[in-house]
Amino acid sequence: MACEIPPAQPPPGPPPRPLLWRWRRNPLRRRTDALQAWLGLGLLFAVLVVAPVATVLVGDAAHRHYEATARHQALTRYETTATLTRDTPRHPEPGSDEEKNTRYPAEVRFLTREGRTRTTQAEVPPGLPAGNEVRIWVTTDGEATEPPLSREQIRSRSMGWALLAAIGVALTGAAAHALTTFALRRRNLADWATAWAETAPRWTTPT
């Protein structure tokens, strides 16, 4: 009776982990595989270190910038009472939240600090009749403008720049990892082509 070949058995020990194969010593691992693993780990560590620092620095710089902007606006803008020269439309439903938040450009007339009458365009609530008085912000040149930045606006804009800084660091790290991986893969392909050029003649027979 012929001896039967026993079925193949898996090697003893725990199964290999696909995510960590570049760290395990094996005959098929190349130098570039280990280099790619170390570069990925280094980039991850760099992102984890640099991202919080960039977030704090950019957020602090943005906060100081917007605080200085708010101080300048407070010095060059002031609130005054203006009179509507014509009715404003009433498109939103009366009493709705939309009406409270909607503003329309309208022509208003006001008296400057120097005592001169000026006419300009300002954003006013809807449904107001001509002759109604509204409070507007104007510049020292007599042009309607927005009020100075509030603390909430300064905080939200600073947080936005801090978040963008953190995202920028993460995207830079991801781009660097993608570029190094692409370069290492090109090197692997070149090495494989060189190795095959040396091995191919051994597999071919002269005709």
Side-chain angles (χ1 to χ4, degrees), residues 94-176:
S96 65
D97 292 337
E98 185 180 357
E99 183 185 32
K100 296 176 183 178
N101 298 326
T102 302
R103 294 291 183 271
Y104 288 103
E107 187 179 84
V108 297
R109 184 179 295 110
F110 67 96
L111 197 65
T112 67
R113 287 177 173 177
E114 293 78 18
R116 287 180 288 184
T117 302
R118 289 289 304 270
T119 302
T120 187
Q121 291 281 331
E123 299 286 335
V124 300
L128 296 179
N132 198 71
E133 292 185 345
V134 293
R135 298 291 290 177
I136 64 170
W137 281 86
V138 294
T139 65
T140 53
D141 297 330
E143 297 295 334
T145 186
E146 297 292 328
L149 293 175
S150 64
R151 290 187 178 275
E152 183 61 31
Q153 288 175 318
I154 293 173
R155 186 182 304 108
S156 62
R157 294 186 183 189
S158 301
M159 291 178 61
W161 279 106
L163 180 61
L164 286 177
I167 295 175
V169 172
L171 291 178
T172 301

Side-chain angles (χ1 to χ4, degrees), residues 8-186:
Q9 298 294 327
R17 299 179 181 179
L19 295 178
L20 302 178
W21 69 269
R22 288 188 175 89
W23 302 97
R24 300 171 63 89
R25 292 187 176 275
N26 62 81
L28 298 180
R29 190 183 72 166
R30 299 151 298 189
R31 290 183 178 179
T32 51
D33 295 329
L35 180 60
Q36 183 177 350
W38 283 108
L39 285 175
L41 182 62
L43 287 172
L44 176 62
F45 179 76
V47 168
L48 294 177
V49 171
V50 175
V53 176
T55 300
V56 172
L57 293 178
V58 172
D60 181 67
H63 191 271
R64 286 188 281 107
H65 167 74
Y66 287 119
E67 276 191 334
T69 301
R71 287 193 298 268
H72 176 73
Q73 291 175 344
L75 294 174
T76 57
R77 302 177 184 184
Y78 63 95
E79 192 177 18
T80 187
T81 300
T83 303
L84 287 170
T85 61
R86 63 188 63 181
D87 298 346
T88 57
R90 184 189 290 274
H91 289 170
E93 182 180 351
S96 65
D97 292 337
E98 185 180 357
E99 183 185 32
K100 296 176 183 178
N101 298 326
T102 302
R103 294 291 183 271
Y104 288 103
E107 187 179 84
V108 297
R109 184 179 295 110
F110 67 96
L111 197 65
T112 67
R113 287 177 173 177
E114 293 78 18
R116 287 180 288 184
T117 302
R118 289 289 304 270
T119 302
T120 187
Q121 291 281 331
E123 299 286 335
V124 300
L128 296 179
N132 198 71
E133 292 185 345
V134 293
R135 298 291 290 177
I136 64 170
W137 281 86
V138 294
T139 65
T140 53
D141 297 330
E143 297 295 334
T145 186
E146 297 292 328
L149 293 175
S150 64
R151 290 187 178 275
E152 183 61 31
Q153 288 175 318
I154 293 173
R155 186 182 304 108
S156 62
R157 294 186 183 189
S158 301
M159 291 178 61
W161 279 106
L163 180 61
L164 286 177
I167 295 175
V169 172
L171 291 178
T172 301
H177 183 265
L179 289 175
T180 54
T181 299
F182 177 75
L184 291 174
R185 285 180 178 176
R186 285 180 60 90

